[in-house]
Structures are given as C-alpha cells and as structure tokens.
Amino acid sequence: MNLIQNMNVENKKVILRCDLNVTIKNGQILSDEKIIASLETINYLLNKNAKVIIMSHLGRVETEADKKDNSLLKVHSKLFELLPDGTGVYWSPFTRGSELESLIAEMKPGEVLLMENTRFEDINGKKESKNDSELAKYWASLGDIFINDAFGMTHRRHASNNGIAKYLPNGIGFLIQKEINGLEPVINPEHPFVVIMSGAKVADKIDLMANILKKCDYLLLGGGIAHTFNALKYNMGKSLVSEESLDEVKKLLQMYPDKIIMPTDGINETEEIKPIDALDDQDNILDIGPETIKNYAKYINLAKTIFLNGAAGVYEDDRFASGTKSILELCAKAPAKTILGGGDALASAEKYNIKDLYFMSTGGGATLDYIGSGKLNCLE
Ligand code: ADP
Ligand code: MG
C-alpha cells in the first residue's frame, strides 16, 4: 500500500477518489464535514502542482430521475468556497466522453476538476457499483496516478476505487491513513478490550459481533440489539426485538456466555425505570436504566481499549438519551483508549459535545467492516 507522501505526484494528472457523499436536503448541504475531511489531501496535491481530478459518489442513482437529487454540483460550489482563493475549480457534468476529456486537457497544474457523481454510471447496468472493468479502465485513462482517500467507501469494491487502482500507479491519501492509524488499537487491542454495541437492528451487526467477540473481553449491549438477546430469557413487551435473529443470537450467547453483558433495567415509553426481568406486555424499553449504567461503568473503568458503536437508547428524543450520554461521558473519563465508530455514535457524540476520546472515526459501514475483518476491501 503506497502512501501519497511517498509518491511522485508533481505536475501529474492525479485522479483522487474522495467521499463527498454529503446529505443534501431542500437543495442545502446539511453538513460539510466530509468535504472538510477531504481538504488535506486535495491541498497537498495542489501544493505539489498536480492536476487534481476528483471523483465521488453521492446517494444512490438507479433511474434518470434520481440524477436531479444526487448531483455533486452543490458540492462543487462548496469546494470552491473551501479551497484557497484563486484556485481554479472546474466542474464536469459528464462522467465520460469528449467534453470531460477536453476539460481535463485544459487543466493547468494546481487546478481542480470535480466530476459529476460516479453513480450516474449505475443507470445502465450498475457499472460503477459492480466494478465494471471497461468503466474502470476508461476512468483510469484520464489520469497518470490514482489516489484513494474515500474512507467511507473502503468496504466496497467499486469501479471508482478498487477498479481504477488496477490500471494506474496508486496509493492512499491522508484521510484513509488517519483512519487506519486511529483504528489501530481496535485492530490490535490492548486488553482488557471492552466493546459497547447498541443500535436498532441486530441483523445489521450480527457478523461484526461474531468477529469482535473473538477478540474482545467483554461485549456490553444496549438499544434494540440488547432486547433481542434479553428476549431469549425474558418477556420484552413491546420493545424492539428482531425475531429473525433469535437463532443467531442464541448461538453467540452459547459460545460466549461470560463475555456478553446485557442490560438489567431500562426506561419504558412512559419514562418509568423497569427491571428487565419484570416487564409488562405494554412496556417498550427505549433506553438503558441506571443500574445498567452503573454496572457498565465498572467494565468501562477497567478497560485498556474501548470500542463504542451505536446509541444505547433512542437518543434523538431527550427523554431517552441519558443512557447514550452517560456511556459517552464514562468513556471520555475512563483511562482507556476509546475509539468511536458508526453514524449514530458519531452524531450522539457531537450532540453531547464529547471530544476527549482517543479517536472518532468518520466512517459508518466502512469502519464497522474494517474492525470486523481487519481489511479494507477496496484495497484487496
Ligand atoms: P450506528 O449508526 O452508530 O451504527 P445504529 O444506527 O445501529 O448506530 O443505532 C442507532 C439507532 O438505534 C438510533 O437511531 C436509536 O434511536 C436506535 N435505538 C437505540 N436504542 C433503541 C431502542 N431501545 N429501541 C429502538 N431503537 C433504539
Ligand atoms: Mg445508524
């Protein structure tokens, strides 16, 4: 794996794969964090007088009609705003063809071109998402060097990451490097290694749980995930239980009876504290309770490494946010290196202004996949 800083990019046409997959609502970019996270590598290349051809996906594009809401044009304006004054930042509404090629031919060293959403190539036969080799070869033909810095897509092998790399000298940018370094303590953990996993659906995370249970000393559960484990023993009332995952959950519990730690109390819909072994048919548990938090604090304080994913309760509603907030605060105070990953984990940390963690990963699915497998699929 080559690092961008060890490659000769000077005056080269560099194809840079970024993750500029921002959320756009009513024509507005909700958060420009992904764009900001990409700037270090872009600026480095500009300082090296490279011609920087940026590619990214945005949302899902299955039909012609999807194009309108998934154009990178808004991102182009934002990029123009964020790059140093006077930088030439071109826009290509085309993902292939003579117009795109002549725009690139006109670029001068130290200029940028943002190409329209790579997934526009998904309309006829999912060429981008299915890693079509003709498309990858074509995109590769537009540059001299390929740099991948789209950490959020590293779990996928698409034409614009895995594909292009097959046809050009290639390396990884600073964002991917930062993620690999930040996540290192979870890949090679110091023990005791405590994992705290919560969230809504077990099915999304069961493979990750199986992988991580091989490595961790304790897995503390919260959210709907915990309900499905507790449902093997207790009546969970109206709480969110994934019936289809009960068999797999049972297997995990049989394999690791001492590692898996479950909530013993919770907060129901009417904000009552309820012991998990005494729920009524009407109870819908939406947060972990105080006894559970106290118990989890013991594990958090003895850990050397913590990985935190998901939200222990429905933190979007302040009435059910105290579990999520307490766990975050306990981790921030604990002596362990705490690594946080996952979309809602990150959003909840932002909501409660938690900053004192060892590392907060920017990836959602990509982070979880990497932690489970120890591999970045797109680089394989
Ligand atoms: P991440 O994005 O960090 O991987 P998830 O998306 O798996 O996390 O989980 C977060 C979601 O889980 C939140 O939207 C939260 O409201 C929901 N959640 C947490 N606890 C519960 C619960 N007890 N019942 C239903 N949903 C829950
Ligand atoms: Mg989520």
Side-chain angles (χ1 to χ4, degrees):
M1 194 161 51
N2 296 315
L3 310 181
I4 185 173
Q5 60 271 37
N6 299 332
M7 298 179 76
N8 179 13
V9 294
E10 210 110 11
N11 292 305
K12 298 271 168 52
K13 277 188 286 185
V14 178
I15 297 176
L16 174 63
R17 176 58 159 101
C18 291
D19 174 9
L20 304 174
N21 181 31
V22 297
T23 308
I24 299 178
K25 269 213 180 114
N26 305 322
Q28 294 287 93
I29 295 173
L30 288 193
S31 159
D32 49 17
E33 250 157 78
K34 285 190 171 179
I35 308 174
I36 290 170
S38 308
L39 290 177
E40 186 179 356
T41 298
I42 300 172
N43 280 319
Y44 173 86
L45 290 169
L46 290 178
N47 287 330
K48 294 279 180 193
N49 275 318
K51 300 175 186 175
V52 191
I53 302 154
I54 302 177
M55 297 186 184
S56 174
H57 72 290
L58 181 77
R60 288 222 171 96
V61 184
E62 268 141 26
T63 62
E64 281 294 329
D66 292 336
K67 284 183 168 180
K68 193 173 147 278
D69 288 335
N70 291 291
S71 169
L72 278 170
L73 185 57
K74 277 267 161 0
V75 174
H76 172 261
S77 317
K78 197 78 205 171
L79 201 56
F80 182 68
E81 207 179 295
L82 291 169
L83 285 171
D85 285 348
T87 309
V89 186
Y90 299 95
W91 165 247
S92 168
F94 313 100
T95 50
R96 64 164 88 212
S98 56
E99 285 106 329
L100 169 64
E101 290 153 30
S102 48
L103 277 168
I104 293 172
E106 283 162 27
M107 286 174 79
K108 290 186 271 303
E111 291 186 333
V112 175
L113 176 132
L114 177 64
M115 187 184 87
E116 181 57 284
N117 189 352
T118 53
R119 288 192 180 163
F120 280 23
E121 293 288 339
D122 271 348
I123 285 181
N124 298 314
K126 291 213 162 286
K127 292 198 169 77
E128 154 72 328
S129 296
K130 288 200 169 149
N131 202 357
D132 179 80
S133 58
E134 178 273 327
L135 177 62
K137 212 184 273 187
Y138 171 71
W139 278 339
S141 76
L142 302 172
D144 308 314
I145 285 176
F146 176 62
I147 298 291
N148 186 1
D149 209 24
F151 180 73
M153 263 292 121
T154 46
H155 56 320
R156 305 269 185 246
R157 287 196 194 98
H158 289 175
S160 65
N161 59 14
N162 178 271
I164 300 180
K166 290 185 189 140
Y167 302 104
L168 282 179
N170 63 85
I172 56 172
F174 296 111
L175 179 61
I176 293 188
Q177 292 179 45
K178 215 183 277 174
E179 289 281 349
I180 292 174
N181 290 335
L183 295 171
E184 206 281 331
V186 185
I187 304 290
N188 298 303
E190 239 190 289
H191 293 270
F193 176 30
V194 172
V195 176
I196 309 164
M197 205 176 275
S198 314
K201 287 213 303 250
V202 180
D204 296 344
K205 295 184 181 175
I206 197 113
D207 292 341
L208 173 67
M209 266 192 264
N211 275 327
I212 215 149
L213 277 162
K214 292 180 202 149
K215 290 208 291 195
C216 72
D217 299 287
Y218 296 105
L219 175 62
L220 317 182
L221 299 176
I225 290 185
H227 295 340
T228 305
F229 281 76
N230 267 325
L232 292 170
K233 237 170 128 184
Y234 305 115
N235 170 23
M236 293 307 294
K238 288 192 170 153
S239 311
L240 182 72
V241 171
S242 311
E243 301 287 339
E244 74 280 9
S245 301
L246 283 171
D247 284 346
E248 280 173 282
V249 159
K250 194 171 174 184
K251 271 188 223 145
L252 286 183
L253 261 181
Q254 278 164 351
M255 277 173 86
Y256 304 102
D258 302 323
K259 282 190 183 183
I260 300 174
I261 315 291
M262 289 170 278
T264 52
D265 63 348
I267 313 290
N268 74 7
E269 224 168 9
T270 54
E271 294 176 72
E272 283 173 289
I273 300 171
K274 284 275 187 142
I276 296 296
D277 60 4
L279 298 183
D280 300 327
D281 291 344
Q282 296 308 311
D283 282 324
N284 179 11
I285 299 297
L286 296 175
D287 196 6
I288 54 173
E291 182 184 85
T292 303
I293 296 172
K294 209 165 148 197
N295 185 37
Y296 284 10
K298 283 191 272 178
Y299 293 95
I300 290 170
N301 287 325
L302 67 78
K304 283 228 167 75
T305 313
I306 299 172
F307 176 61
L308 178 58
N309 165 258
V314 181
Y315 72 99
E316 296 93 336
D317 181 332
D318 288 338
R319 293 174 300 158
F320 309 111
S322 98
T324 305
K325 189 169 178 237
S326 303
I327 297 284
L328 280 163
E329 285 170 353
L330 285 165
C331 289
K333 270 195 236 131
K337 282 183 182 167
T338 297
I339 288 90
L340 174 146
D344 282 281
L346 196 63
S348 62
E350 272 165 21
K351 183 165 178 189
Y352 304 115
N353 204 22
I354 302 288
K355 297 209 170 85
D356 297 331
L357 302 181
Y358 177 81
F359 185 68
M360 299 203 215
S361 178
T362 60
T367 305
L368 302 188
D369 200 277
Y370 179 49
I371 284 166
S373 69
K375 286 179 190 158
L376 296 173
N377 275 328
C378 76
L379 303 181
E380 299 279 310

